[in-house]
Each structure stands twice: as C-alpha cells, then as structure tokens.
Amino acid sequence: MKIDFETEPIGRSTDGKEVYLRDIWPSHDEVNSVVAASVIKEMFTETYSKVTLGTPQWNSLESSSSVLYQWDDNSTYIHHPPFFGAMKNKPDTETHVKNGHCLLYLGDSITTDHISPAGSIARNSPAAKYLESRGVKRIDFNSYGARRGNDEVMARGTFANTRLLNHLVGEPGPRTIHFPSGDKMEIFDAAQRYKENNIPLIILAGSKYGSGSSRDWAAKGVWMLNVKAVIAVSFERIHRSNLVLFGVIPLEFKESQSAQSLGLTGKERFDIDLGPIDKIKPGQDVVVKVEGGTINSFVVTLKFNTETEIMYWKNGGVLNYCIRETIKSI
C-alpha cells in the first residue's frame, strides 16, 4: 500500500470532502470507554469458574483412578518409551566406544528434518510396516509429527527423510550399507541388526550438523538407533546440546579436517575412549582409533561445553539425572 497517511486522504465523505486516517482514528478515551463497557469482570469469573468441570464429552471418557498413567498397549499414537528401561540407581555410563561401526556418512547442512522428519509416513518405510502390523490402514498413517508420542514410530522415522544423502549409499533416500555384510538396508533395520550383535554405532557428518528447527526427536531417535557418538565438522548449537542431554557424545574434527580430508570411507571400525569418567573435561582432545582404513587414528574435540553437560551425560542424559535427583530428595 503506497500512501502517506499524514498528507493523503484515504477516501471521501458522502458530501465529497476528503477523509484522512486521523479523522476516523479513535482517541484513547474512546477506546478506553468501549473496553470498559465491553470487557467486564463477569466474563472471566464465569468462564474460569467452569474451567475444571469439563464438557459432557470429556467427562464421559473412561479413565483410571490410578495416580500413574495407564499405558495402552493397543495405542499406536502413545507408547511407553524405553528411556528408563535399563536405568539403575547409580550411573554406569560407558566412556569407551569399542569397535563402533559407521551407521551414516553424511555431508554438510544435515538438518533436524533430515534427522527426524515431521511429514508424511512413506508407504514402504519401516514406520509404515510397523503401523500395518498393528492393523493401521495406509489412509490412517498420518504423519511423524502426529505420532511423535509413539517411540516405535519415531525410532523408525529417524533419518527417514527421502532427501537424505548418505555417502555410504551414494543416492538420496533413507538407506545405508550394513557392514561387514555389505547389505543395502533401511537405516532403522541396519541399526537393529547392529544392536542385535552388540555393535555400537557412530555417525560421520560435515558442517552445521543438526541445523534448522529444534526437535527433541532428532536427539531421541539417534539415541534409540544405538548411536553413541556423532563426529562432525561442526554442530548447530541447540542440537549439539540436545545430543548431550540424551546421552550421545558430540565430537568435532579439528580445524580444516573432515571425514573426507582424513580419507575415511565409513567402512572402518572406530574406537573412542574418553578416559576415566572422573577425568573428563569440557573441550578435551579425544583420540579416535581406526581399524580397516588408510589411517590408524585422528584427534577430535569433545564438545561437552560445561561441567553440567558432563554431569548430564554421565547420568545417561538429563531425564535420568532428574529422576535420580528426585529419588534422592524423597
């Protein structure tokens, strides 16, 4: 709209006179008078007096009298997550990633939407197969965003973005190569096979890993795939923090180095040792030993930025830490 409200009229009256914005703009007194007459105390007291009563539809829903949430095993939208299934009273976090395999070899600018897409569920994806096994019709798949309360769906949806480019495969799509079999597989299926054989996983990535909107499942999903560490050229600030808060180790290549410059192919096996758990320091150097490649080792920077982050990681993540602290206070 190209008009100067100070000097140009916005229209004309019925008798042909020019009308300016200032002629129709209400004064503060006029506005206050209307508000005083229209916005009255009773509007709020009446509404909030009923806020806890609920509607007939809400009150007719069946519910349990238990103080704990009753998980419904038949629900495909809300599922009891495994975050605390193996949790013990005292932390026993492993500081040594032994014989780790590379699940994904990624380039620059991998976003949280690459890692944990919120869009539609592809008809032949692991998430789709899971939903079909639970009797859900394709028309009712909905989206990952709608099913974020079900860890079974979201774990299968991690890295399920069809535009993801994994250098181990060389073409866009949510697939990877399992080693040593050489099988091309869906990323979730490969992670499960590694997990069945007690093989920890790492991810190699370029710069700005985890950029884009902040998504908690971009960290939760990676953890659920049994990824112990992500080695990247650089991390997006919030996503790096989220990885730490869920017990995944962020490591950065040294300046001017990358997986490509070091000659890594992703087919190697990786050994990462942070050292004694009580000696871990923010920003310390960590030696990554390599087997089956053209180099024997390389040095990275541990991207724990504070002692508090180290404390969270030692507990297996911030959720575990909070539960342990709550138990101590009881």
Side-chain angles (χ1 to χ4, degrees):
M1 180 182 293
K2 295 182 179 179
I3 183 173
D4 184 342
F5 291 110
E6 289 289 332
T7 61
E8 298 179 56
I10 59 174
R12 292 181 179 275
S13 65
T14 55
D15 58 1
K17 294 183 179 179
E18 293 180 337
V19 178
Y20 293 85
L21 180 62
R22 60 179 174 271
D23 297 327
I24 64 172
W25 195 268
S27 67
H28 287 300
D29 290 340
E30 289 173 318
V31 171
N32 291 335
S33 177
V34 172
V35 170
S38 305
V39 183
I40 57 178
K41 175 183 177 182
E42 288 71 22
M43 293 171 56
F44 299 93
T45 56
E46 180 182 359
T47 298
Y48 283 98
S49 67
K50 302 176 181 178
V51 72
T52 60
L53 300 180
T55 64
Q57 293 88 345
W58 175 262
N59 292 327
S60 66
L61 294 175
E62 294 183 3
S63 63
S64 170
S65 59
S66 172
V67 295
L68 297 178
Y69 181 77
Q70 302 298 298
W71 300 97
D72 182 0
D73 291 336
N74 294 320
S75 174
T76 56
Y77 277 96
I78 300 177
H79 184 262
H80 191 182
F83 304 147
F84 312 111
M87 180 179 167
K88 300 177 181 178
N89 287 336
K90 294 184 178 180
D92 59 348
T93 302
E94 178 59 62
T95 64
H96 192 174
V97 180
K98 302 176 183 178
N99 193 38
H101 283 50
C102 179
L103 178 64
L104 296 166
Y105 187 160
L106 305 171
D108 297 335
S109 299
I110 295 298
T111 70
T112 51
D113 194 63
H114 287 114
I115 304 169
S116 184
S120 59
I121 298 173
R123 60 191 304 173
N124 293 319
S125 65
K129 293 174 184 176
Y130 166 79
L131 290 173
E132 286 182 329
S133 73
R134 300 300 303 272
V136 179
K137 297 179 181 179
R138 287 182 177 178
I139 195 173
D140 297 322
F141 280 176
N142 214 319
S143 65
Y144 288 110
R147 293 189 179 273
R148 66 191 309 276
N150 189 324
D151 60 280
E152 295 282 6
V153 174
M154 297 306 290
R156 289 165 171 79
T158 303
F159 294 109
N161 192 309
T162 56
R163 299 184 300 276
L164 180 74
L165 181 57
N166 176 14
H167 294 313
L168 293 177
V169 177
E171 60 184 15
R175 286 168 290 279
T176 193
I177 303 297
H178 175 270
F179 297 108
S181 70
D183 294 339
K184 182 190 291 188
M185 306 176 66
E186 297 284 348
I187 293 170
F188 174 81
D189 295 336
Q192 289 300 105
R193 185 185 290 187
Y194 282 123
K195 192 172 184 177
E196 290 167 1
N197 289 284
N198 297 315
I199 296 175
L201 298 173
I202 70 156
I203 291 173
L204 297 174
S207 63
K208 301 178 182 178
Y209 178 81
S211 56
S213 62
S214 176
R215 297 183 184 177
D216 57 343
W217 269 108
K220 292 178 184 176
V222 167
W223 175 84
M224 289 193 68
L225 294 184
N226 200 35
V227 173
K228 303 300 183 182
V230 178
I231 310 176
V233 173
S234 65
F235 290 89
E236 190 279 332
R237 176 179 58 87
I238 297 176
H239 183 65
R240 181 210 61 81
S241 176
N242 286 345
L243 288 174
V244 175
L245 294 179
F246 227 79
V248 179
I249 306 169
L251 301 166
E252 271 190 9
F253 291 103
K254 290 297 182 180
E255 187 175 356
S256 77
Q257 291 187 346
S258 66
Q260 290 93 333
S261 71
L262 292 172
L264 300 175
T265 65
K267 300 177 183 179
E268 303 90 351
R269 295 179 301 282
F270 301 86
D271 191 282
I272 305 168
D273 190 357
L274 303 188
I277 197 165
D278 59 339
K279 300 293 185 181
I280 297 174
K281 297 295 181 183
Q284 73 179 46
D285 283 349
V286 176
V287 176
V288 180
K289 296 180 181 179
V290 183
E291 290 187 26
T294 58
I295 60 174
N296 294 322
S297 65
F298 59 96
V299 179
V300 294
T301 300
L302 178 63
K303 294 302 291 182
F304 292 159
N305 290 349
T306 64
E307 294 289 347
T308 299
E309 286 190 340
I310 294 175
M311 178 176 61
Y312 290 152
W313 177 80
K314 287 178 179 178
N315 277 271
V318 67
L319 298 180
N320 302 50
Y321 170 79
C322 290
I323 287 180
R324 289 190 177 103
E325 289 301 301
T326 300
I327 291 174
K328 288 179 184 178
S329 66
I330 296 176

